[in-house]
Every structure is written in C-alpha cells, then in structure tokens.
C-alpha cells in the first residue's frame, strides 16, 4: 500500500453508522436522508440530523434496489416490490403471485417501474405489461428517453417497448451470461457486464459490437459520470473509465483511462452527480475520491475490514454514504 | 484479506439422479431428521420434487457457455443468481443442497463454483451425491449419457432399491458402476436408508481432503491385461467385457473410464504443471474430473490439485510427514480418454 499519509483526507468528516446486521448491499439518498439497504430485510434511514431508523421493508432478503431520489424501490426474496419514502412509510407496489424472487428493478424516466422474477419481466406504467425472456433475466435498464426497456439474459439483450405491442422486441446477440446492463445517457450505446470479467457494448444505431476487457474480476458496479462522457467500472485494481465522447464512434477503438492503481480491487463505484469525480470502494474497505481529469485523489475511508459494498452521493454532491459487506457504514459530509 | 477460509464457507451438496431413484426420499430425510441443521434447497423449477421446507428455491437448469468458445466450459447461471441471493440470508441456514434432474450434467454445477468468484468466495461445493435405482441403472448406463456422467462425477453413490433386484443383478450393476468410477464411496441402500454423515459434510471437493484416491479396485492391480485394441475398430458402443473378479463382475465401460497413475520417484514441477495445463486445454471436453497428490522434486510440501474439464485448482497443501511415503498419485475419469498419451505424458514428468 503506498503511503496514504500525504493524501488529502475527508475521513474525519464521517458520521459512523452501524455496525448493521446483515451487511450493507446498497445505498441511496432521499433528499439529504441516506437509505442504507441491508442484506436481510431492512432499509436503514439516516436523516441529516436525528436518529437512524431501521425499516423492516421486506419479509425476506432484499435482492435489488433503485431510487429516483424521492423513494427507494426494492425487490426481495419475499416476491415483493416495495416503495420506501424518507418518512419511513412503505407501500407494496407489486407482489409476485408465485412468491418468486424479485431479482431486478429499473426505474423509467416517467416513473414507470420495471422488475423481473426469473424469466419474466414486468413494466408497470398505466397498465401492467409482461415479457418472457428466453432465459432468466440478468438485468434491466430503461432508456433515458422513450418507454423502452433493455432486458439482459443469456446470450444477449432484448430491447422491449412495453407499450407498443405491435413493435417486435429487438434482440442484440452476444454469447454468454449478461448480469448487468446500462444505457449511455445519450441513449446511443448499451453496455452489459458479463459473467466473465469483461463488458460488452453495442452501438445501437447499427448494433456494432464493442468488447471492453482487461478486468481481473466480474464487473459488479458501474456508474456514468455527470457529463455522460465516462463509464466508471469496478473489477480491477485501478479505476477503469471508458470514454464515451459525444462523437460518432463513442468509445470505439479508444483505450480506457486507468486511475489510482493500488494493490486492492475496486468493488463499487459512484460518480459524483455534478463534478467529474468518482468515489471508488475497495475490497479492503478503503474508499478514494478521484478526479477524472488528472487522477488526483482524496482518501474517504482508510483500509479496514470487509469490502466496500455500497456508495451513494446525495443529489447536491455534498454527502457520500458508504457501507461494507460486514455492516460498517458512514455518511461523509463534504460541505 | 477478504478471502474466507474454507471452514467459513457454506457447504453445498449436489444431489443428482433420476426421478424415482430415491432422491426425494433422501432429501426429505435430510430435511426432517433431527440433526439440528437447517438446509436451503435449490430445486429444478420444473421438477416434481415434493418437499416441505421454507427455504426452497426453484432454479432454471439451463447452462450457458463461457465466452472462450469451448463447449465444455459451461456454467449454471441461475445458480450464480440464487447462491448470491441466498448468501444475503447467511446465518439463516447451515448448508445448501442443489437438486438436479436426472437429465442434468453435474459438470456445469461444479464449474460454477470455480468460475464465479463471488460464489467461490462464499460457498464451497462439498460433494456430488448420485442416487441410482439398482433396477434401472444398468439399462440407463447403456442408453443415457447423462447417467454415465452422474456416476462418473459422483463422490458418493447411493445404489438404492437394492431389495428390488437379485443378488446377481446387484453385483452386475455394482460392477458397471465400478467400471466407470472406482473412486466414489458406494452405498447399497433401501428406501435411501443411510447415515446422513455418509452423504453430507464430505469435503470431497476440498483440496485439503482430496485424498481418497484409493479405488475400490484398481485395474492395474488385478493381475491381468485388459487392453483391448479391437474396441476402437468396431462401432458397437455397448460392447462390455465382464470378468468374475472376487465375486464382483469386473466391467470395462467402453466409453467412460478412469486412469490412475502413480510414481514413487518425484515429479518435476516445471514439467508437470505445464503438461497438465496443456492436457486439460486439449482434452478438457473428455476429462470429467481429475485429481491428484503430487510429490515434486526439491519440495517439502505436498501439492494437491483437482479439476473439472478444463478448469484446474491446485495448491501446496502441507509439508510431507516423515513417516509418509512421498508418492505422486493422479486420477482421471472421462470419456474415451487417450490412455497412452496421458500415461506417457505423466511419465515424462518423472525426474529420471
Ligand atoms: Zn472447455
């Protein structure tokens, strides 16, 4: 480990929460209230001043969660899709009739919610629409515009217009298991994370393939920079940023930018919502904030115990919430 | 630092066999007997298994090929999803049982533990347990490749419903099993009556416990030569030889065999490791399982390894003990294995 002594630090500005039973599996912000999602059944709400509250949102493990800044929507092995707001109130949005696990959730630009259970994907706008994929759904991602959903599965991704029964779903093929999916903010590229330690991408206008490899582990976390020009990814001992310039070819043929090399692997990334900077959490519990332009870094958490498993920024970019597999958690106030 | 020691990993038992062989009976015994342990069970979503347990999850058995374009490098993707999900409930159960249908190949399940880092970090494959119906197995071994796979892959075989066959038929089917896999522990049962510790907590995939390499009977040890060159000349795949041998018929399965190699002289690590890597790259599709204990020259540590098709996992295990015979032993089980090539390759690694 290179000496961290000379690196600027915001560690002292951390409000420690926890340890939290069940480990932290995700983090979100509802305004300035942090929502730490736990692996068992609960969401812990941390208001800026005031007591933390543990909300038993599910009757089983929480498997997936997303936010639109006003509510956390989570899916669990109890077969339920649950909405939790910052007051702590919860509401059941959907319940799988066969109590199957809710594996993935995505939030559409107009507030539409999509979720999947096994091979089935559902989209709840004005009406409930369903789609059966060829194999278990690996990920869901809405397009930034238009009511269109990317459904990842074995051997590719299917693009589905839930409200246009007459428009046939389009499938982009790529052999293997796709476990994560994201559409670039300009809507021109679709990127999936695969079972193998690599990403696969498609330029949507002509379905041209992009292979983005060089990782040492499965890429479990990715995040778009505020300007949409970089895709930050976990899965390597350096911060891997793929360039998506606003040019015709996007990332085609361009190498990634590699920042903050260390002896430890990055497990979770979250781009700052306003500035060109990335929070990266490592497998030894360490967290760095890194500026994309020049790689300048700030220490946000010292190496300690279990891997960082959650990072989230408040919308104003002044608060950073983090959590670890072991259940340690904190809120860093950068103001 | 984040690597969990193997004792903290949740053990996973793979339970395989045809519907009706007695798998459900065994599973229900595991779930209902008062052993104080709680099991999560992953069943095939289309299976007809009737069990009463609140931690039952249905899985899709479909496998996908890894991106290297090789047909043997397959993973059960749904198992990755379900094990990831179950590990969020860690502490709510002690072990996991994966039930597969009679048509399933055990290899993708085993490979999932090697190929998915997240799964491998939190869970470990404990053993492959195959339940077989004594009456039907002989027939299935003739016509169903998956039946051979399940026998070849097994660490523990329950030859069940032995009350429904004659002593002769039983000896016959036992001989056929041993012709394919002489290394598994074989239990003859009725109504799946077996002490559960013979099935669970076996550590068969643990590199530290690799060591039950002594076959029940070794081809090399039985004193006569069974090389049959003619078998490759004709197209009859059901052609079996049977020899009476200590009361047990001795079958040579024409398709699925095991090869056991040993050397009392040390091996050259710089030759052996590249050789085995290269061998599994080339012959991986036909090698179902391999394992071994190795004594390398100028190395005071025992080296142990095991593999499934093309995937190898190996480590120094512990220092050789003073009273221990420093001997290398390697076993391969597979389909139409190139016996001479493997034997010669191994012998080339022996320090002359
Ligand atoms: Zn292969």
């Amino acid at each position: 480990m290179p000496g961290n002594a000379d690196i600027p630090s915001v560690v002292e500005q951390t409000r420690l929460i926890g340890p939290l039973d069940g480990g932290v599996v995700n983090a979100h912000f509802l305004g300035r209230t942090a929502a730490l999602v736990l692996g068992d059944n609960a969401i812990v709400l941390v208001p800026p001043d005031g007591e933390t509250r543990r909300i038993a949102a599910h009757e089983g493990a929480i498997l997936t969660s997303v936010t639109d800044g006003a509510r956390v929507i989570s899916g669990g092995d109890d077969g339920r899709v649950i909405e939790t707001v910052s007051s702590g109130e919860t509401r059941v949005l959907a319940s799988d009739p066969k109590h199957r696990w809710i594996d993935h959730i995505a939030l559409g630009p107009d507030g539409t919610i999509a979720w999947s259970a096994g091979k089935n994907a559902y989209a709840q706008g004005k009406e409930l629409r369903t789609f059966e994929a060829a194999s278990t759904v690996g990920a869901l991602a809405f397009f930034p515009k238009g009511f269109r959903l990317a459904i990842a599965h074995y051997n590719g991704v299917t693009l589905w217009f839930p409200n246009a029964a007459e428009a046939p779903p389009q499938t982009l093929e790529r052999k293997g298991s796709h476990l994560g999916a994201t559409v670039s903010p300009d809507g021109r590229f679709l990127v999936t994370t695969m079972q193998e330690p690599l990403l696969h991408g498609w330029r949507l206008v002509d379905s041209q393939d992009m292979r983005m490899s060089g990782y040492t582990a499965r890429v479990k976390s990715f995040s778009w920079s505020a300007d949409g020009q970089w895709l930050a990814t976990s899965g390597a001992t350096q911060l891997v940023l793929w360039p998506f310039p606003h040019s015709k070819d996007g990332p085609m043929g361009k190498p990634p930018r590699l920042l903050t090399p260390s002896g430890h692997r990055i497990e979770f990334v979250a781009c700052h919502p306003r500035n060109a900077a990335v929070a990266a959490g490592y497998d030894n519990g360490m967290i760095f904030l890194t500026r994309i332009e020049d790689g300048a870094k700030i220490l946000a958490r010292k190496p300690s115990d279990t891997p960082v498993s959650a990072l989230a920024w408040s919308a104003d970019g002044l608060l950073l919430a983090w959590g670890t597999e072991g259940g340690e958690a904190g809120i860093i106030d950068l103001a | 630092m984040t690597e969990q020691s193997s004792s903290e990993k949740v053990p996973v038992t793979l339970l395989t066999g045809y519907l009706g062989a007695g798998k459900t009976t065994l599973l229900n015994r595991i779930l209902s007997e008062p052993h104080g342990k709680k099991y999560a069970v992953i069943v095939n979503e289309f299976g007809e298994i009737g069990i009463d347990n609140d931690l039952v999850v249905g899985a899709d058995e479909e496998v996908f090929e890894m991106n290297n374009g090789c047909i043997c490098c397959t993973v059960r993707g749904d198992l990755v999803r379900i094990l990831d999900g179950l590990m969020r409930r860690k502490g709510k159960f002690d072990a996991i049982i994966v039930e597969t249908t009679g048509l399933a190949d055990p290899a993708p399940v085993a490979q999932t533990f090697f190929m998915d880092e997240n799964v491998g970090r939190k869970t470990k494959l404990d053993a492959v347990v195959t339940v077989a119906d004594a009456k039907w197995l002989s027939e299935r071994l003739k016509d169903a490749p998956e039946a051979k796979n399940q026998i070849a892959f097994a660490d523990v075989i329950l030859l069940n419903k032995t009350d429904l066959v004659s002593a002769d038929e039983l000896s016959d089917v036992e001989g056929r099993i041993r012709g394919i896999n002489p290394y598994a522990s074989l239990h003859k049962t009725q109504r799946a009556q077996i002490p559960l510790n013979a099935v669970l907590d076996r550590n068969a995939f643990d590199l530290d416990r690799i060591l039950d390499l002594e076959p029940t009977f070794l081809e090399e040890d039985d004193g006569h030569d069974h090389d049959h060159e003619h078998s490759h000349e004709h197209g009859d795949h059901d052609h079996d030889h049977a020899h009476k041998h200590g009361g047990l018929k001795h079958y040579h399965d024409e398709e699925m065999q095991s090869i056991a190699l040993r050397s009392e002289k040390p091996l050259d690590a710089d030759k052996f490791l590249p050789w085995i890597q290269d061998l599994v790259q080339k012959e991986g599709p036909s090698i179902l399982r391999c394992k071994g204990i190795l004594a390398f020259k100028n190395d005071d540590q025992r080296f142990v390894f095991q593999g499934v098709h093309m995937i190898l996992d190996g480590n120094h295990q512990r220092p050789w003990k003073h009273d221990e015979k420093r001997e290398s032993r390697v076993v391969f089980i597979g389909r139409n294995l190139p016996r001479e090539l493997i034997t010669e390759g191994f012998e080339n690694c022996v320090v002359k």
Side-chain angles (χ1 to χ4, degrees):
Chain A
M1 180 76 21
N4 289 337
D6 309 331
I7 298 169
S9 166
V10 290
V11 174
E12 296 303 313
Q13 289 152 251
T14 306
R15 171 182 171 192
L16 289 172
I17 319 283
L20 301 165
D21 282 349
V24 182
V25 294
N26 212 345
H28 307 286
F29 269 96
L30 303 172
R32 290 180 62 79
T33 297
L36 301 165
V37 182
L38 307 188
D40 55 7
N41 66 337
I43 295 174
V44 170
L45 296 173
V46 189
D49 350 81
E51 297 284 292
T52 65
R53 291 174 61 197
R54 188 185 175 100
I55 311 296
H58 286 265
E59 284 169 18
I62 298 178
L63 300 171
T64 180
S65 65
V66 295
T67 189
D68 56 9
R71 53 195 180 147
V72 171
I73 297 164
S74 53
D77 70 6
D78 56 358
R80 288 178 169 176
V81 179
I82 304 263
E83 173 188 277
T84 304
V85 293
S86 61
S87 67
E89 273 173 70
T90 63
R91 191 159 67 99
V92 180
L93 299 184
S95 196
D96 187 81
K98 286 185 260 175
H99 302 287
R100 289 175 305 170
W101 292 9
I102 308 297
D103 298 308
H104 306 284
I105 298 182
L107 259 166
D110 60 349
T112 301
I113 299 161
W115 67 92
S116 69
K119 291 180 183 179
N120 296 106
Y122 303 86
Q124 178 78 66
K126 286 193 191 76
E127 285 173 60
L128 180 67
R129 308 282 181 179
T130 64
F131 178 84
E132 186 172 337
S135 59
T136 301
V137 174
L140 297 173
F142 270 106
F143 278 64
K145 289 200 196 90
F147 191 43
R148 196 181 199 190
L149 185 67
I151 302 167
H153 43 76
Y154 289 172
N155 303 328
V157 182
T158 297
L159 309 180
W160 179 46
F161 287 105
N163 276 351
E166 67 282 1
Q170 179 197 353
T171 298
L172 300 166
E173 286 177 13
R174 181 70 195 175
K175 221 171 178 182
S177 176
H178 300 261
L179 297 170
T182 183
V183 181
S184 64
D186 63 10
R188 297 194 303 142
F189 296 92
L190 171 69
V191 178
T192 62
T193 65
M194 301 199 64
Q195 172 74 49
E196 292 91 344
L198 53 85
L199 308 179
H200 192 80
W202 289 269
R203 182 165 66 188
L204 293 166
V205 65
D206 56 2
S207 303
Q208 182 112 10
D209 292 282
M210 301 183 286
R211 186 186 158 89
M212 297 138 90
S213 58
Y215 295 93
T216 53
R218 191 168 115 197
V219 179
K220 287 184 276 186
S221 173
F222 46 81
S223 175
W224 291 96
S225 64
D227 61 4
Q229 302 223 23
W230 297 96
L231 179 64
T233 55
S234 71
T237 53
Q238 349 186 29
L239 181 57
V240 180
L241 293 142
W242 295 94
F244 282 75
H246 298 312
S247 63
K248 183 171 150 285
D249 290 338
M252 302 288 220
K254 295 183 183 68
R257 185 170 287 184
L258 306 172
L259 300 176
T260 62
S262 84
H264 287 274
R265 197 168 72 214
I266 295 176
E267 293 279 306
F268 209 101
V269 290
C271 288
H272 191 277
R274 295 189 175 179
N275 304 328
V278 188
Y282 290 77
D283 65 1
N284 63 345
M286 180 172 69
I287 300 169
F288 274 123
L289 312 181
T290 304
R291 191 157 63 196
I292 296 174
E293 189 190 349
D294 58 0
K297 58 185 183 180
I298 298 172
L299 184 68
R301 186 173 187 248
K302 289 179 187 164
S304 53
D305 38 40
T306 56
V308 174
S309 51
L311 284 168
W313 291 98
S314 60
D316 59 10
L318 296 177
L319 298 173
L320 175 68
W322 57 262
T324 70
E325 272 184 22
E328 304 297 328
I331 317 288
I332 302 174
D333 189 344
L334 295 160
Chain B
M1 161 168 288
T2 59
E3 193 62 32
Q4 276 167 293
S5 78
S6 84
S7 61
E8 288 169 39
K9 294 182 182 182
V10 174
V12 180
T13 303
L14 173 60
L15 190 56
T16 179
Y18 281 93
L19 190 69
K23 211 169 38 170
T24 312
T25 313
L26 178 63
L27 195 47
N28 275 319
R29 281 197 49 221
I30 293 170
L31 296 176
S32 62
E33 286 192 6
H35 41 59
K37 283 198 172 171
K38 203 161 161 124
Y39 290 90
V41 186
I42 301 173
V43 297
N44 165 32
E45 63 176 332
F46 299 115
E48 299 159 38
I49 207 153
I51 46 173
D52 183 24
N53 185 37
D54 58 343
L55 276 165
V56 177
V57 195
D60 175 359
E61 277 193 343
E62 204 181 345
V63 302
F64 67 88
E65 287 173 26
M66 297 295 281
N67 236 319
N68 60 4
C70 175
I71 51 154
C72 78
C73 293
T74 52
V75 167
R76 276 250 328 244
D78 225 26
L79 205 53
V80 176
R81 171 181 75 102
I82 290 167
L83 291 174
D84 276 355
L86 280 175
M87 292 323 289
R88 299 196 171 198
R89 285 194 176 212
K90 210 179 167 190
K92 301 266 193 325
F93 52 87
D94 306 289
I96 298 170
I97 297 170
V98 179
E99 179 260 348
T100 70
T101 58
L103 295 172
D105 176 1
V109 177
Q111 291 180 158
T112 302
F113 289 83
F114 293 109
M115 286 190 180
D116 188 86
E117 184 253 351
N118 215 35
V119 167
R121 191 156 62 90
K122 293 177 176 169
T123 59
K124 59 173 181 179
L125 188 57
D126 186 73
V128 176
V129 177
T130 298
V131 184
D133 180 321
K135 192 161 180 62
W136 296 110
L137 185 66
S138 290
E139 291 306 308
R140 293 289 78 76
L141 289 179
K142 284 176 199 157
D143 64 15
E146 63 274 7
K148 275 188 191 174
N149 276 346
Q150 291 171 2
I151 294 297
F153 223 92
D155 300 295
V156 179
I157 298 168
L158 258 69
L159 189 54
N160 197 31
K161 305 198 176 180
T162 54
D163 48 332
L164 302 182
V165 294
S166 68
D168 232 30
E169 288 171 307
L170 186 59
S171 146
D172 185 83
V173 71
E174 204 183 338
R176 284 179 192 278
I177 290 173
R178 288 307 184 196
I180 294 170
N181 182 347
Y183 304 98
S185 37
L186 176 72
H187 304 277
K188 286 168 255 182
T189 59
Q190 298 171 13
R191 288 169 294 283
Q193 285 299 325
I194 184 171
L196 293 183
N197 62 11
V199 176
L200 302 168
D201 274 329
R202 302 299 298 164
N203 266 328
F205 272 81
D206 193 334
L207 286 180
D208 293 340
R209 283 276 308 268
I210 209 156
L211 271 285
D212 275 332
L213 287 187
E214 293 301 339
T216 298
F217 63 79
L218 256 182
E219 193 169 66
E220 282 86 332
D221 292 340
D222 68 4
H224 44 274
D225 183 8
H226 294 310
D227 262 351
H228 20 258
E229 297 295 325
H230 61 281
S231 64
H232 303 290
E233 309 297 328
H234 60 70
D236 180 8
H237 275 267
D238 290 323
H239 173 98
D240 292 320
H241 301 257
H243 311 262
K244 271 285 189 186
H245 182 48
L248 191 61
K249 281 183 190 158
H250 187 167
Y251 279 95
H252 294 264
D253 193 282
E254 291 291 321
E255 184 198 20
M256 194 85 86
Q257 315 88 7
S258 63
I259 299 177
L261 302 163
R262 72 170 72 204
S263 166
E264 296 187 3
K265 290 187 193 144
L267 302 184
D268 181 343
D270 293 334
K271 281 187 181 164
F272 182 85
L273 296 173
W275 170 71
I276 190 110
Q277 283 286 355
D278 186 59
L279 179 71
V280 298
Q281 278 307 307
K282 289 186 181 131
E283 303 293 336
S286 53
I287 300 172
L288 270 65
R289 279 182 84 170
C290 62
K291 45 183 165 178
I293 315 160
L294 307 169
F296 287 133
K297 195 188 173 202
N298 300 329
D299 190 342
D300 285 333
Q301 301 257 338
R302 271 159 68 117
F303 190 92
V304 296
F305 79 94
Q306 66 167 309
V308 174
H309 288 311
M310 289 184 173
I311 307 162
L312 285 174
D313 189 12
N315 259 316
H316 278 111
Q317 180 199 26
R318 59 165 171 80
W320 287 98
K321 291 178 188 142
H322 291 296
D323 55 352
E324 196 170 30
K325 200 163 151 194
R326 285 203 189 191
E327 185 182 68
S328 296
R329 285 177 287 160
V330 179
V331 171
F332 297 89
I333 299 178
R335 266 202 172 80
N336 303 314
L337 293 176
R339 181 176 296 271
E340 274 174 35
L341 185 99
I342 292 177
T343 309
E344 271 173 35
F346 177 79
E347 277 161 9
N348 278 338
C349 303
V350 174
V351 176
K352 296 289 179 309

